[in-house]
Amino acid sequence: MNSLPLGKITLFSDLHPKLYPAYFNYGTAGFRMPGKVLDSVLFRVGILAGLRSKKMDGKTVGIMVTASHNPETDNGVKMVDPRGEMLDSSWEVYATTLANSSTTEMFLSTLEEFVEAEKIDLSKPARVVYARDTRPSGPALVAALEDGFAAIGAEARNAGITTTPILHYLVKAINTKGTEECFGDDSEHGYFTKLSEAFKKLLLGKPTPSPLVIDCANGVGAPIAAKLAQYLAASMPMLLTNTAIDNPGALNNLCGADYIKTTQKIPPSLMTVLQPGQRACSLDGDADRLMYYYLDSRGQYHMLDGDKIAALVASFIVELVKAAGLENRIKIGVVQTAYANGSSTKYLSTRLPVKCVSTGVKHLHHAAEHYDVGIYFEANGHGTVLFSQQIQNILSGCQPSTLAQSIAINHLINLAQLINQTVGDALSDMLLVEVVLAHRSYGCVEWDSLYTDLPNRLVKVLVEDRNIFKTEDAERRLVSPPGLQEKINDLSHKYDSGRSFVRPSGTEDVVRVYAEAATKQQADELAFRIAGVVYDEAGGDASQRPMEFL
Ligand code: G16
């Protein structure tokens, strides 16, 4: 076991001092803050990633520089473990502690304690692969990250400007290369080939889908979707919009998956583009979330969110498993969060086991791994489907006794290729939705009619310190500030089918309030009344008090 290269780390660390008093927290999806305060954090994450790789016996670890759905001025960084999943949560605490060491000396001593506590064998190699989205602050932050790699002596591969899900794909592909569990060729070309070939096989004999309008949120999804379109060629006509990645301030602005979910409106830029009945979808800034929507014949907007995607996909997979004659061998389950619409939970739970966990893909992913086929989608459009390795082996070794069984088994095998099983992937999920719609001969209206959403509203509240908000029961109950949950309950009981909860965001400096009720007006009113109560309890500047309905 060698020792840490303290001299080298000191030299580099002095180039990346912690200049801001801000408290850095490895939250729902890594560190996420205004890009200008993150230089020291990126440097330290570079070192941490090297150590994570050493701890994992030299396997490749991923780093993504992105702030996903956040505004363009924010940026962030998240680490990806060797199997392509989010960083193990036990290391999040170390990441937070290291990021907050105020001087190089403190950083070094914390680092030494951490290496000791984790018993990291420093003689092991360190390998990382990293990428960034299109944010203007990205290049400088990547330079800080690279200094971290140099300081710890990590072998680093730059995957350039790409989506978060592609980075996750690359990590898994690199680490499974040459093994029985080979995930695919470890390149963007490998990713596009894997997805497009599976898609074409699944659509064989089905009519070509009508053109799909894709809002790329003016982010990295734009160039990546354009490349995907080349691989798919005529099999999937796509109309890419909001592709202005070089326009300052355009990223996620009045467009993108988060805009769709929180405003429940069509992006203004699509007003003149979208025709009644036409399918449209929005990606977010790093293309890991997907929201569908359409205008009905009266020009009215309808949203098809992560819950609707889960319902569509789950019912299709259940049917295929039955048709394959494997319903007694394959345990399928769905994982949601408290944000799941009450109607979706009702729809799904009559068909499958449904589990509710805390917000954050890492929680959903781990819960989904308990099933042979685990389907998870957050209402915000972030999700995927996991096929256990054992089930994939069963599927490939199956001896079907009828043609119908053989077709169903092949479809399941191809679905496991089409779906990016490492993490939510807007483009892979989009192809999945298109496959199911084609197999069902559904348009948006038929898909939407699987169940009727309870009207709901999501509101952000700016408070002085969101850290005072603590929750339990998969974030459905507030335990702090004391007494606030009782007020939420009292208000919710005043509305038909009223349900609401409050939780601190892990990616933005806000508290989120979710409410649903029997009518749209009631859901809006409940959300804003609770937002007001939250604000009165913990708010700051009175001009930020949520005003609607109060
Ligand atoms: C991230 C996480 C998601 C989570 C979302 C919002 O998404 O990966 O699982 O739902 O943040 O989290 P919060 O409500 O804690 O801010 P993304 O797309 O921003 O990376």
Side-chain angles (χ1 to χ4, degrees), residues 210-224:
S210 57
L212 171 67
V213 175
I214 305 175
D215 155 25
C216 300
N218 296 313
V220 68
I224 297 298

Side-chain angles (χ1 to χ4, degrees), residues 483-548:
L484 191 51
Q485 184 61 46
E486 286 66 33
K487 292 182 186 166
I488 295 170
N489 293 347
D490 289 348
L491 276 172
S492 301
H493 289 147
K494 294 196 169 114
Y495 294 82
D496 298 339
S497 306
R499 179 173 78 92
S500 182
F501 65 90
V502 171
R503 57 174 283 277
S505 162
T507 60
E508 292 175 75
D509 199 8
V510 297
V511 167
R512 299 198 197 281
V513 173
Y514 175 85
E516 61 186 34
T519 67
K520 179 81 189 111
Q521 210 260 341
Q522 286 186 329
D524 287 347
E525 192 175 306
L526 176 58
F528 278 94
R529 287 184 76 180
I530 291 179
V533 170
V534 167
Y535 187 83
D536 291 344
E537 184 80 33
D541 177 357
S543 67
Q544 302 293 339
R545 192 174 196 275
M547 291 306 285
E548 231 170 303

Side-chain angles (χ1 to χ4, degrees), residues 27-30 32 66-70 78 86 164 258 284-289 337 339 358-364 376 378-383 423 458 466 475 503-510 512:
T28 314
R32 216 172 269 191
T66 179
S68 191
H69 70 277
N70 292 45
K78 48 190 167 191
M86 299 287 191
T164 294
D258 197 53
D284 69 342
D286 62 343
D288 58 3
R289 294 196 202 175
T337 70
Y339 289 111
S358 298
T359 301
V361 168
K362 56 192 175 196
H363 302 297
L364 290 113
Y376 73 82
E378 291 183 287
N380 63 23
H382 206 152
V423 78
L458 187 56
R466 74 188 200 275
E475 302 180 319
R503 57 174 283 277
S505 162
T507 60
E508 292 175 75
D509 199 8
V510 297
R512 299 198 197 281

Side-chain angles (χ1 to χ4, degrees), residues 11 18 44 89 131 133-134 167 169 235 315 346 373 381 388 397 407 413 483 491 517:
L11 280 178
K18 181 177 185 288
R44 293 170 186 195
S89 49
D133 68 15
T134 54
L167 193 265
Y169 166 92
S235 64
S315 57
K346 208 165 162 187
V373 178
S388 73
I407 292 172
I413 290 172
L491 276 172

Side-chain angles (χ1 to χ4, degrees), residues 62-93:
I63 311 281
M64 184 70 200
V65 180
T66 179
S68 191
H69 70 277
N70 292 45
E72 190 173 287
T73 44
D74 281 358
N75 213 325
V77 60
K78 48 190 167 191
M79 285 175 59
V80 179
D81 261 354
R83 289 198 305 145
E85 295 162 12
M86 299 287 191
L87 175 67
D88 188 279
S89 49
S90 63
W91 274 52
E92 292 178 1
V93 186

